[in-house]
Amino acid sequence: MSLNSQAGNPGDEQVKQALREAKRIAVVGLSDNPGRDSHRVAKYLQEHGYEIIPVNPGVDRVLGAKSYPDLASIPGPVDVVDVFRRPEFVPPIAQAAREIGAKVLWLQLGVVHPQAAAAAREAGLLVVQDACLKVEHHRFGL
């Protein structure tokens, strides 16, 4: 099973390569509640060797990492911006991902924003929409 191509997603090999090269993943909307999907996904990614950077102005720390109020506040490079926010919040997040030089904009299951995705692609980001990063990472066997 491949990524949803109707969402304009790239092919599996391109996504697999991006995930192999990624080291730092900013998780926008990461909850400190272990029962939330964002927390489970981030914990899985952390357990698989990625540095997780929480982006949530409402919490101080998540999974042992300092939380930042927004992408622009993160020191150093970010490889992947993983978004757990509703579609109406995606455009400014996509813009910020471009501004910080992220390589990948990943919109989680149920999150699709064609205009923001197109703008991010035009800026050179790899964009995945409506897909779970944890599920795809596991499916790729990374």
Side-chain angles (χ1 to χ4, degrees), residues 86-111:
R86 293 192 314 262
E88 62 264 28
F89 297 110
V90 169
I93 295 167
Q95 174 68 33
R98 293 191 308 269
E99 290 171 359
I100 66 166
K103 297 176 181 98
V104 179
L105 176 65
W106 193 294
L107 306 181
Q108 282 289 334
L109 280 172
V111 183

Side-chain angles (χ1 to χ4, degrees), residues 121-139:
R121 277 189 204 98
E122 287 172 21
L125 277 77
L126 183 75
V127 179
V128 177
Q129 299 185 88
D130 193 24
C132 178
L133 206 160
K134 175 185 173 187
V135 168
E136 298 306 323
H137 184 273
H138 181 73
R139 180 171 70 85

Side-chain angles (χ1 to χ4, degrees), residues 16-122:
K16 204 185 307 186
Q17 183 65 28
L19 293 179
R20 273 194 205 106
E21 293 173 359
K23 294 183 178 17
R24 298 181 86 211
I25 301 175
V27 183
V28 179
L30 177 51
S31 173
D32 58 356
N33 177 347
R36 301 293 302 246
D37 289 340
S38 63
H39 194 278
R40 286 192 297 268
V41 168
K43 184 174 185 201
Y44 167 89
L45 294 169
Q46 191 178 56
E47 289 169 351
H48 283 81
Y50 295 99
E51 179 185 350
I52 297 303
I53 305 161
V55 180
N56 183 337
V59 297
D60 290 329
R61 297 186 75 75
V62 182
L63 295 169
K66 176 181 176 10
S67 182
Y68 293 90
D70 52 47
L71 291 172
S73 300
I74 299 171
V78 171
D79 300 310
V80 178
V81 174
D82 186 17
V83 182
F84 281 91
R85 297 293 313 271
R86 293 192 314 262
E88 62 264 28
F89 297 110
V90 169
I93 295 167
Q95 174 68 33
R98 293 191 308 269
E99 290 171 359
I100 66 166
K103 297 176 181 98
V104 179
L105 176 65
W106 193 294
L107 306 181
Q108 282 289 334
L109 280 172
V111 183
V112 176
H113 197 289
Q115 297 85 356
R121 277 189 204 98
E122 287 172 21

